Every structure is written in C-alpha cells, then in structure tokens.
Amino acid sequence: MTFYKPEKLPKLMIAPNGARPSKKDHPAVPITISETVETAKACFNAGADGIHFHMRDENGQHILDSGLCREALNELQKKVPRMHLQVTTEAVGRYSPNVMRKLALDVIPPGISIGIREMIPSHSPTSEDINLYKHLTEAGTKIQHICYEPKDVDLLSNLLNLANISKEGAWCMLVIGHYSGIPSNSKNISPFLKKLKENAINADWAVCAFGKEEISCLKKAIELGGKIRVGFENSILMPDGQIAPNNETKVKAVKNLFD
C-alpha cells in the first residue's frame, strides 16, 4: 500500500488520544482503531493534514504492537488517503529502546515520532541507533524527532551527523511543558530554536503544549514560523477555556490561528 508522505511537516497535526487519556477523561477520546479512523476523518475534514496516533490494548492501555499499527495504518489509508499518518514509539516508562526499534523496523510506517532521549537514554548513539535512523530514512519514513528539552537538540545533532542524515528540513517536535503538570510557557520555545541554530539544524518544526497554556504557546509558535499539534493527547480545552466536545472542534478552532 502506498501511503501519503509529504515533503513538508504537516502544518496542523492532530494527536487525538496519546498514551494516557481515557474515556473517563473525555468520552470522545478514541481508543479503538475504528474510533481513531473516524476521528481522523473528522479532523481531516476540519483542517488537520496529519495525525499522530497511539495504539491501545484491550484494556485501553498504550501499547507498541506492530500488528495493530499496520492494521490501523491500512484502515486510515482507506478513509484519509491524503492525510499524513504518524505512529509513535513513546516508551511511557514501559518499553525499552529495543522494543521501540523493533516496532519501527517491523512496520516501516509512512511517519513515526521518536523521542530522541527515549531511544538513546545513554545520550551516546550506538551502531544500532545509527542503523535504525538510516534505515528508516532510506525507506522513506518521515521521522519527527521529539525534543523534550533544548539539550535534546545536541543529541539529535550528534545522531544526524553520525548517521550522515541531512539536517536540512529535519522534522522536529518541540514539547513545551509536560502532561504531568509542568506549565507550558511560550517563552520556552526560543531556547529550542537557539539550540537548533547552534547545531546548524534548519528544522521544519512544530510545537505541542498542555492545558490552559496550550493556546498561547501555539500562537507563539506560529508567530515564530513554526507549526502546531493539538488534540486530546495534550489538552481537552478550547481557546476560551471550555471543554472541547471532540478533537475536530479543537482543529477548527486552532486552524484560525494561522489567519
């Protein structure tokens, strides 16, 4: 099956479920593959050009499962063939780099997000790490490098150099704040950009943020020339502070930020 692989990072990506939100948090959090597919279609129609999704097991828990990923990708391709599809390798404190690498290599998805510090916790890339990123890049998988702190950019730069992967247009996700309650402050975007410049990474970058501070961070990202990711993985709130009825309503609201 041929998947859509845009050259540029999607301008607005939806992250509808994440690893942790449940139906108890919001009844519109998609848990099953069919729910994720229907959410993707609604969000695409609302203006999202990419989706970052997590798989869940029979108990609704985050799982790295190659078979489920392939099934979801195939179903999504049928319903949203012009939407960029991004799977995740997020460890959530449960999965080792070996498991993360295995998922990526088993699936070879059109898009994948990899937390650089999760994949390389030693901060010293091994031959396995270098080969993983080289193989995915050569296979055409669009890797989005997740950076939780500015210092993660140094590790990313080292990896790209060792793997001989171009720094021009590298897809990056700059995470502002944390789901656990660390506040998202728009002032924290600039230190990431400074690090990217220091490392000569001309990134195609986006920002995600959490809770009630999400919108101010997204506005700042756009002002600085970046892109954005929204969805129930990060916040269930609308720009006015009300609880969003669903993911697609959030997409419609933040799409206006680009105007």
Side-chain angles (χ1 to χ4, degrees):
M1 185 173 288
T2 301
F3 292 99
Y4 176 57
K5 298 177 185 178
E7 286 302 311
K8 299 289 186 180
L9 176 67
K11 190 175 180 180
L12 197 171
M13 190 175 289
I14 182 69
N17 55 5
R20 299 167 184 84
S22 69
K23 295 288 188 184
K24 291 181 180 179
D25 298 304
H26 196 297
V29 173
I31 301 298
T32 66
I33 290 176
S34 61
E35 288 174 343
T36 300
V37 170
E38 289 308 309
T39 298
K41 184 177 180 181
C43 290
F44 179 77
N45 291 338
D49 45 356
I51 181 171
H52 163 88
F53 64 94
H54 291 241
M55 302 312 307
R56 303 296 189 92
D57 63 19
E58 63 275 9
N59 296 315
Q61 299 299 306
H62 168 75
I63 186 171
L64 298 184
D65 183 281
S66 302
L68 288 176
C69 274
R70 283 192 289 264
E71 181 182 349
L73 288 169
N74 289 336
E75 292 304 311
L76 284 161
Q77 174 68 7
K78 294 174 186 176
K79 287 293 183 76
V80 282
R82 297 293 293 175
M83 189 178 207
H84 179 58
L85 310 178
Q86 183 186 87
V87 305
T88 180
T89 59
E90 189 173 350
V92 199
R94 294 176 57 188
Y95 297 106
S96 68
N98 284 338
V99 175
M100 295 160 67
R101 278 193 293 268
K102 185 176 187 306
L103 175 87
L105 294 172
D106 283 351
V107 179
I108 308 292
I112 194 166
S113 69
I114 303 177
I116 189 77
R117 68 159 69 169
E118 288 190 328
M119 186 62 77
I120 312 174
S122 68
H123 294 274
S124 297
T126 65
S127 59
E128 281 186 310
D129 298 317
I130 294 166
N131 290 336
L132 169 69
Y133 284 84
K134 287 181 68 173
H135 185 79
L136 290 174
T137 300
E138 290 167 0
T141 293
K142 309 297 289 189
I143 306 171
Q144 187 171 31
H145 308 284
I146 310 298
C147 298
Y148 294 100
E149 293 183 276
K151 65 181 180 181
D152 290 353
V153 177
D154 293 326
L155 174 57
L156 172 60
S157 178
N158 186 29
L159 170 74
L160 295 177
N161 287 334
L162 291 170
N164 196 28
I165 294 173
S166 175
K167 294 181 177 181
E168 183 66 31
W171 288 16
C172 293
M173 171 59 72
L174 314 181
V175 182
I176 310 301
H178 196 261
Y179 74 91
S180 63
I182 297 174
S184 296
N185 190 323
S186 60
K187 293 180 180 179
N188 291 336
I189 299 174
S190 292
F192 280 101
L193 302 184
K194 181 180 179 182
K195 270 291 184 184
L196 288 168
K197 186 175 181 180
E198 287 175 359
N199 285 282
I201 300 175
N202 186 20
D204 194 354
W205 58 275
V207 155
C208 69
F210 301 83
K212 60 185 178 63
E213 294 87 9
E214 177 189 40
I215 295 301
S216 63
C217 292
L218 301 184
K219 287 180 178 178
K220 186 64 175 181
I222 293 169
E223 178 187 319
L224 293 170
K227 298 170 181 178
I228 60 175
R229 191 184 83 183
V230 299
F232 285 179
E233 173 168 352
N234 298 101
S235 173
I236 63 172
L237 300 178
M238 295 290 286
D240 64 2
Q242 299 296 309
I243 294 176
N246 47 49
N247 278 284
E248 57 265 32
T249 303
K250 281 190 66 90
V251 171
K252 290 176 183 177
V254 300
K255 185 182 178 184
N256 295 330
L257 298 178
F258 288 101
D259 298 334

